[in-house]
Amino acid sequence: MGRTRKRATKGATMAAVARRAGVSAMTVSNVINNKVSVQPGTREAVLKAIAELDYRPNAAARALASASTLRIGLLHRDQDSALLSAMLVGSLKAASRIGVQLIIQPYNPDTALEDILEFAESGLDGLLLPPPLCEQFSDSGLSARINIPVVAMAPGTSLPDIACVRIDDEAAAFALTSSLIVHGHRRIAFVLLPGTHVGKARLEGYRRALREAGIPEDPDLIWQARPTFSEGLVLAERKLGTAEKPVAQGPFTAIMAGNDDMAAAFVNVALRLGKRIPEDLSITGFDDTPIAIKIWPTLTTVRQPLAEIAEQATELLIAMLRNPSAQGPSAQGAVPRFVDYKLVERASVADVAPE
Amino acid sequence: MGRTRKRATKGATMAAVARRAGVSAMTVSNVINNKVSVQPGTREAVLKAIAELDYRPNAAARALASASTLRIGLLHRDQDSALLSAMLVGSLKAASRIGVQLIIQPYNPDTALEDILEFAESGLDGLLLPPPLCEQFSDSGLSARINIPVVAMAPGTSLPDIACVRIDDEAAAFALTSSLIVHGHRRIAFVLLPGTHVGKARLEGYRRALREAGIPEDPDLIWQARPTFSEGLVLAERKLGTAEKPVAQGPFTAIMAGNDDMAAAFVNVALRLGKRIPEDLSITGFDDTPIAIKIWPTLTTVRQPLAEIAEQATELLIAMLRNPSAQGPSAQGAVPRFVDYKLVERASVADVAPE
DNA sequence: CTGAAAGCGCTTACAG
DNA sequence: CTGAAAGCGCTTACAG
């Protein structure tokens, strides 16, 4: 082609789209960014041209021209490495594909709410909130004080004031409980995570499973503890130890722990007390964290596709950013996006022992 | 100032630097990118102007003009969430600050080497390799087949053919062993991770500590096992069980496990056999992963600042990318960058019991 | 509602 | 070794 000053361009440019649609580049830009209203017909034509040319905006050009890159923040606790890595993987995937900048920052559980507010005001365009931060934030009613879009990742229930992407915790708990029932269990203890949306949703799932199987619910089998290994240890010692006498309607044959760490604590104590797991007692976890396969017996648990949740949450947030009209107060809060959970059956559950 | 078409710019631009240095923008660009050689005097002047103005290149403009963003890849195993999250946090911090794109991708341990080659050829500008991938890769001699810069994160020893950022594993093992010696231990078992650089380096540190304390080394106390919880379990049963009779020179009073998971396995088996930890036996881990504080007793271990290692590795890689002259074969391989490790003393170590 | 033009801050050929 | 100019692909005021 001889020498030319023009450098090769990968995909279609905005100019190409404009030419095809028979409009100016500005109009294409307007359609893409929802800045000013565009006549429906014009908009259609532009959208059609974009689709035909498989046009994708150049993030660098956009950043340069607007003198700013879209920056979305993700707050995290240093401790939750499994949660964090999965979410970072997913979020980074979406962010780097779309060309927005992902800023991550640790927060302090004791000042979580203030940390959110401060982080949001640090020049961010949007915010991604992992659990349990998103639930706390929603419960606090502070979301009204934030003027950038927020998306909650994996909250236990849909949140009234924040858009979210999550699994159906109620259904997951229903499935887990049902799998225990299929194994013949009828005396199933449930560890409730007090004061959390997750706890509430899962309790409902547990109850529905019992109800549908015609198993009466026993309040003595609803236990409470905070979701840590050590709290699990304390609870396990209290419930499995000899100190407490068997409940009236007979002993439980299975325990649904609040998460994998707690399940590990139950396994630990049960083993120490000479019980055989799962022959004498079935135990389930929740989350499918690394510890689930680092102990014996390996844990039957439920896995949330955290990377996918984060990826979708990031996409949703960016869409909200690009489309200000959809951002009205609680406009997105009502439409949670669901992804599928997975029941992972391993070695910690067995058929209930015959009497 | 009246209306103007000019939009506000945050920092100094290349033009401003050029003006101040009395050269053209092109020359500034040349200095920054080390593309063509610039006269020393000119270079000095430009560097001075850059420093005075605190000039930082605009990543968006650079990406737009060069029709490409610098893309660096990070390969990871899905399983190692603690490792991954720490490294992602650090790497992302550097990458987003400098404005390069971070691409992450999982690899399959069974086809690790091929995965690296393939990933490297997928249009990446540079590659970040976590352990144990970096060691395998270096050992394989395949690095010559890759034509993009590679930086190893946290290998156990310096690598001859790859630049790296790491802690001094030899010194860390020396410190850990020494802390045991301070507690009165003289019969210290060491679990060697066979065939790894980490294993080799730590063994040297262990030996040096014994030597300096005048403690004779006993080959019977050098055990070997692969770095997993289950292999640790097998080894622990063999060493702590009654099957094996006590070694000639008397029993060991402390065990340095290959990592935290293995230490947890030792604790698990010891407890099951009725030994008191740490009263009867001290046990140490390595890495300070979450499990270190999820078991009782909590583990004395060594922490590597993985996030910092990743951040520095990312910076180093970008520097190599921007400065092609320093990229000659093994040019960087010889200059490892070190960061500090930290000895974390917790509950799994006690003074040796009096005879 | 729509468009022509300038400009974002760099890098790339090219010519000296 | 150094520079003038064009161009990367968008968005921003502004004017119709």
Side-chain angles (χ1 to χ4, degrees):
Chain A
M1 291 286 192
R3 75 220 216 316
T4 164
R5 298 211 105 170
K6 196 142 193 298
R7 281 170 247 150
T9 298
K10 297 99 188 326
T13 67
M14 183 175 271
V17 173
R19 216 173 304 126
R20 184 173 196 110
V23 299
S24 72
M26 250 232 71
T27 298
V28 176
S29 176
N30 282 152
V31 169
I32 292 173
N33 300 303
N34 293 80
K35 283 285 175 153
V36 300
S37 53
V38 176
Q39 202 133 42
T42 312
R43 166 185 222 88
E44 287 305 313
V46 171
L47 257 18
K48 182 157 167 283
I50 287 177
E52 288 171 352
L53 262 30
D54 188 28
Y55 167 70
R56 263 169 286 181
N58 177 315
R62 170 132 60 182
L64 178 58
S66 65
S68 70
T69 310
L70 229 40
R71 291 163 23 113
I72 65 185
L74 170 50
L75 233 30
H76 68 92
R77 271 188 73 167
D78 272 336
Q79 289 71 34
D80 289 332
S81 58
L83 187 82
L84 177 59
S85 69
M87 293 197 158
L88 278 182
V89 166
S91 193
L92 194 55
K93 197 167 160 191
S96 89
R97 168 161 31 86
I98 305 178
V100 314
Q101 204 174 335
L102 182 64
I103 313 286
I104 59 184
Q105 186 164 294
Y107 73 92
N108 174 184
D110 296 332
T111 58
L113 265 15
E114 300 153 48
D115 289 358
I116 294 177
L117 259 20
E118 188 177 324
F119 190 41
E121 280 160 12
S122 70
L124 254 27
D125 300 290
L127 193 57
L128 252 17
L129 256 27
L133 207 50
C134 48
E135 300 180 356
Q136 285 176 244
F137 185 60
S138 175
D139 290 344
S140 74
L142 248 36
S143 67
R145 285 189 41 198
I146 257 184
N147 48 4
I148 57 174
V150 177
V151 174
M153 302 188 284
T157 62
S158 295
L159 273 10
D161 50 350
I162 307 179
C164 70
V165 179
R166 66 185 192 92
I167 63 163
D168 186 338
D169 273 272
E170 193 271 347
F174 173 83
L176 189 56
T177 310
S178 298
S179 81
L180 250 13
I181 293 173
V182 165
H183 279 287
H185 296 275
R186 293 180 62 86
R187 299 286 301 159
I188 303 170
F190 179 89
V191 180
L192 174 64
L193 269 22
T196 65
H197 291 235
V198 191
K200 195 178 134 229
R202 293 188 195 159
L203 179 59
E204 283 168 12
Y206 163 79
R207 284 182 165 149
R208 182 160 62 91
L210 292 186
R211 206 182 315 128
E212 295 194 3
I215 299 173
E217 184 185 324
D218 179 354
D220 284 343
L221 291 184
I222 309 285
W223 306 338
Q224 297 206 7
R226 299 192 50 237
T228 64
F229 181 82
S230 56
E231 296 282 317
L233 232 35
V234 173
L235 178 64
E237 268 154 12
R238 190 148 48 83
K239 296 300 184 181
L240 303 179
T242 46
E244 184 149 327
K245 39 191 169 292
V247 286
Q249 297 90 329
F252 43 84
T253 60
I255 299 174
M256 291 174 66
N259 61 28
D260 296 336
D261 277 4
M262 302 184 88
F266 270 99
V267 169
N268 190 319
V269 173
L271 253 24
R272 204 191 306 158
L273 295 176
K275 285 194 196 297
R276 292 170 308 161
I277 309 292
E279 293 81 358
D280 298 336
L281 181 64
S282 289
I283 296 176
T284 63
F286 213 101
D287 292 344
D288 197 21
T289 47
I291 200 170
I293 52 170
K294 278 185 192 163
I295 60 171
W296 186 259
T298 51
L299 297 173
T300 285
T301 185
V302 170
R303 175 162 54 218
Q304 310 193 45
L306 292 171
E308 193 187 331
I309 288 177
E311 187 174 352
Q312 290 205 26
T314 306
E315 285 170 358
L316 177 58
L317 180 59
I318 294 171
M320 287 164 71
L321 254 22
R322 298 256 199 257
N323 188 350
S325 65
Q327 271 181 53
S330 80
Q332 298 278 351
V335 284
R337 226 138 101 165
F338 285 99
V339 298
D340 295 332
Y341 58 84
K342 184 169 173 207
L343 180 62
V344 184
E345 306 202 52
R346 286 197 277 245
S348 65
V349 170
D351 286 348
V352 69
E355 287 298 308
Chain B
M1 292 287 190
R3 76 216 215 317
T4 163
R5 299 213 105 172
K6 194 141 192 301
R7 281 169 247 153
T9 298
K10 296 99 190 322
T13 67
M14 183 175 271
V17 173
R19 215 174 303 124
R20 186 176 194 107
V23 299
S24 70
M26 250 231 72
T27 298
V28 175
S29 175
N30 283 153
V31 168
I32 292 173
N33 300 304
N34 293 81
K35 282 284 179 155
V36 300
S37 51
V38 175
Q39 203 135 41
T42 313
R43 165 183 224 90
E44 288 305 313
V46 171
L47 256 18
K48 182 157 168 285
I50 288 177
E52 288 170 354
L53 262 28
D54 189 28
Y55 167 70
R56 263 170 285 182
N58 177 314
R62 170 133 59 182
L64 179 57
S66 65
S68 71
T69 310
L70 229 38
R71 293 162 22 115
I72 65 185
L74 170 49
L75 233 29
H76 68 91
R77 272 188 73 165
D78 271 334
Q79 289 72 33
D80 291 330
S81 58
L83 187 82
L84 179 59
S85 71
M87 292 197 159
L88 278 182
V89 165
S91 192
L92 195 54
K93 196 166 161 194
S96 91
R97 168 162 30 87
I98 305 179
V100 314
Q101 203 175 336
L102 182 63
I103 313 288
I104 59 183
Q105 185 162 295
Y107 72 92
N108 175 182
D110 297 331
T111 56
L113 266 14
E114 299 153 49
D115 288 0
I116 294 178
L117 258 20
E118 189 177 326
F119 191 41
E121 280 160 12
S122 70
L124 254 27
D125 299 291
L127 193 57
L128 252 19
L129 257 26
L133 207 50
C134 48
E135 300 180 358
Q136 285 176 245
F137 185 60
S138 175
D139 290 345
S140 74
L142 249 35
S143 68
R145 284 189 41 197
I146 257 183
N147 47 4
I148 58 175
V150 177
V151 175
M153 302 189 283
T157 61
S158 294
L159 273 11
D161 51 349
I162 307 177
C164 71
V165 179
R166 65 186 192 93
I167 63 164
D168 187 338
D169 272 90
E170 193 273 346
F174 174 84
L176 189 55
T177 311
S178 298
S179 81
L180 249 14
I181 293 174
V182 165
H183 278 288
H185 296 276
R186 293 180 63 86
R187 300 285 302 159
I188 305 170
F190 178 89
V191 179
L192 173 65
L193 269 22
T196 66
H197 290 235
V198 190
K200 195 178 133 227
R202 293 188 195 157
L203 179 58
E204 282 168 13
Y206 163 78
R207 285 182 165 148
R208 181 160 65 91
L210 292 186
R211 209 183 312 130
E212 294 193 5
I215 298 173
E217 186 185 323
D218 179 353
D220 285 343
L221 291 184
I222 308 287
W223 307 337
Q224 299 206 5
R226 300 193 48 237
T228 65
F229 182 81
S230 56
E231 297 281 318
L233 233 34
V234 172
L235 178 64
E237 269 154 11
R238 192 146 49 82
K239 296 300 183 181
L240 303 179
T242 45
E244 185 150 327
K245 36 193 171 294
V247 286
Q249 296 89 332
F252 43 84
T253 59
I255 298 173
M256 292 174 66
N259 61 29
D260 295 337
D261 277 4
M262 301 184 89
F266 271 100
V267 169
N268 190 317
V269 173
L271 253 25
R272 202 192 307 158
L273 295 177
K275 287 194 195 297
R276 293 169 307 162
I277 309 290
E279 294 81 356
D280 298 336
L281 182 64
S282 289
I283 296 175
T284 63
F286 212 101
D287 293 345
D288 199 21
T289 47
I291 200 170
I293 53 171
K294 278 184 190 163
I295 61 172
W296 186 259
T298 52
L299 298 174
T300 285
T301 185
V302 170
R303 175 160 54 217
Q304 309 193 45
L306 292 171
E308 193 188 332
I309 288 177
E311 186 174 354
Q312 289 205 26
T314 305
E315 285 171 357
L316 176 59
L317 181 59
I318 294 171
M320 287 165 70
L321 254 22
R322 299 255 198 258
N323 189 349
S325 64
Q327 269 182 53
S330 81
Q332 298 277 352
V335 285
R337 227 138 101 166
F338 285 99
V339 298
D340 295 332
Y341 58 84
K342 184 168 173 209
L343 180 62
V344 185
E345 305 201 52
R346 286 197 276 245
S348 65
V349 171
D351 286 347
V352 69
E355 288 298 313

